[in-house]
Amino acid sequence: MNLRADDLIAPDVLADAQRHAAAFARREPFRHLVIDGFFSDIYARHLLEQFPDFARGNARNEAGELGAKSTVERIRDLGPAYLALDDLIQTRPFLDWVGRVTGIGDLLYDPWYFGGGTHENRTGQDLDPHIDFNRHPVEPWHRRLNLIVYLNPLWDDAWGGSLELHSDPRSDEDRVTTITPAFNRCVIFETTEWSWHGFPRIEIPAEHGDLSRRSIALYFYTRDRPAEELAGTHSTIYVDRPLPAHIRAGRTLDEADLQTLRVLLKRRDQHNQRLYRDLASLTEQLEQAKAAIENGRMSRWSYLARRILARLKS
């Protein structure tokens, strides 16, 4: 398409970096920014037209099961619009613009798109509140920012699927900011140990049954981060959703309530299974490390014994 940055991103968005920076700095509940009309209108429609079919992406969840979410991480092969986007987001001018808006300089582009790329979520899909993995899986980089652009010409918060930013989903005092995934709406938010986010279960009405929740997710890194934000390396950390407020003592459960309970219990089981797998893997690695240490010790003792015997014989 041979597009320049100002062909892709709306000119007023690029020009308003100072205003966007002031909005991002507010911690409600943590640093984030919503920009409507992020891409030029024509370019946004090219991205929607070239959005990959659900079947083209990876639809397996963290438990290895086929689910209602499909992702394509490597976007360059999706069409000219995505090729142009990939070319843009790795340029220093674009990274520096994001840095000015967020106050996070020296940002790094992720050529692997780990966890990013195109995301399509269908009816039945939800995303429990979570904080993201905090280190790049390959490079020694710190994950710092999520930039998400939604491509949904029609959406209603009542359908679920709207982005929710939490102050602390484990607390009874949790404050939630809801952001509708409207067409060409960009959300930029910090990735920290307190940037809890997710979305409720999607239930699209039958008359709109062909719709799904579509977005492009871009993640950015730095080589260092402030000392107060440092934490041990971890994968994505989830908090299971609590029971809905309407399920309480004295209520007669209907079929919808039972389905809600089934979903919550299944999700909790999946999270536990993932933790068990991680624990088993770590235990195996620990045993291998101990064996390697013991073998090394035995080798050293064997070597010393041979040296002593040789000296005695001489």
Side-chain angles (χ1 to χ4, degrees), residues 7-306:
D7 290 317
L8 275 58
I9 300 176
D12 58 324
V13 170
L14 293 172
D16 278 350
Q18 185 172 354
R19 180 171 63 87
H20 296 322
F24 182 85
R26 295 193 293 269
R27 298 179 183 271
E28 300 173 0
F30 50 82
R31 294 193 300 169
H32 75 278
L33 170 66
V34 178
I35 305 175
D36 285 321
F38 182 72
F39 292 123
S40 69
D41 185 66
I42 293 176
Y43 179 64
R45 297 197 178 280
H46 284 315
L47 289 169
L48 179 57
E49 291 165 1
Q50 296 168 30
F51 198 92
D53 292 336
F54 188 91
R56 180 169 179 176
N58 176 15
R60 293 196 177 276
N61 60 26
E62 291 175 324
E65 303 169 343
L66 286 174
K69 175 183 179 180
S70 177
T71 64
V72 175
E73 291 183 328
R74 301 298 181 92
I75 66 172
R76 288 188 68 86
D77 297 332
L78 296 180
Y82 288 89
L83 178 63
L85 177 61
D86 185 56
D87 285 342
L88 171 69
I89 64 174
Q90 57 186 295
T91 64
R92 198 70 253 165
F94 175 81
L95 293 170
D96 288 345
W97 179 85
V98 177
R100 288 197 302 275
V101 167
T102 62
I104 301 174
D106 300 320
L107 290 170
L108 301 170
Y109 153 86
D110 177 19
W112 291 273
Y113 280 82
F114 279 112
T118 61
H119 292 181
E120 181 176 5
N121 295 272
R122 290 177 166 177
T123 286
Q125 184 68 36
D126 60 5
L127 184 60
D128 285 334
H130 64 282
I131 54 174
D132 294 311
F133 63 86
N134 63 345
R135 300 295 290 264
H136 193 279
V138 175
E139 300 288 351
W141 300 342
H142 298 267
R143 184 167 168 183
R144 303 300 301 279
L145 289 171
N146 290 5
L147 189 157
I148 303 172
V149 181
Y150 296 102
L151 296 175
N152 306 300
L154 178 64
W155 200 265
D156 189 322
D157 289 335
W159 301 348
S162 293
L163 178 64
E164 294 179 337
L165 309 182
H166 297 257
S167 60
D168 186 351
R170 302 161 297 190
S171 169
D172 292 337
E173 306 300 322
D174 184 30
R175 302 186 313 279
V176 180
T177 296
T178 299
I179 302 170
T180 306
F183 182 74
N184 204 11
R185 171 171 287 173
C186 173
V187 181
I188 305 174
F189 59 89
E190 62 181 345
T191 302
T192 64
E193 300 305 299
W194 54 84
S195 58
W196 297 97
H197 58 285
F199 61 79
R201 183 179 176 86
I202 298 171
E203 296 289 352
I204 298 175
E207 61 268 27
H208 300 297
D210 59 332
L211 294 182
S212 60
R213 181 186 189 269
R214 297 181 173 189
S215 61
I216 303 169
L218 309 173
Y219 306 144
F220 298 99
Y221 297 79
T222 57
R223 289 186 172 83
D224 301 294
R225 75 183 308 151
E228 64 272 17
E229 295 184 6
L230 290 173
T233 301
H234 61 75
S235 60
T236 303
I237 299 174
Y238 293 95
V239 172
D240 294 298
R241 291 183 180 275
L243 286 175
H246 71 271
I247 297 181
R248 58 185 183 273
R251 174 185 172 86
T252 300
L253 301 181
D254 58 21
E255 184 57 37
D257 293 332
L258 287 175
Q259 180 60 23
T260 296
L261 293 174
R262 292 188 190 103
V263 169
L264 290 174
L265 289 172
K266 181 178 181 180
R267 182 59 52 80
R268 185 156 299 183
D269 288 344
Q270 288 176 339
H271 290 168
N272 285 337
Q273 288 167 4
R274 182 171 65 89
L275 291 174
Y276 292 152
R277 287 197 304 271
D278 290 348
L279 182 60
S281 176
L282 289 172
T283 301
E284 182 181 2
Q285 292 175 38
L286 178 60
E287 293 298 327
Q288 291 174 348
K290 289 169 61 177
I293 292 172
E294 290 301 321
N295 288 337
R297 286 175 178 168
M298 293 302 294
S299 296
R300 288 195 296 273
W301 280 114
S302 177
Y303 170 75
L304 289 173
R306 290 197 301 271

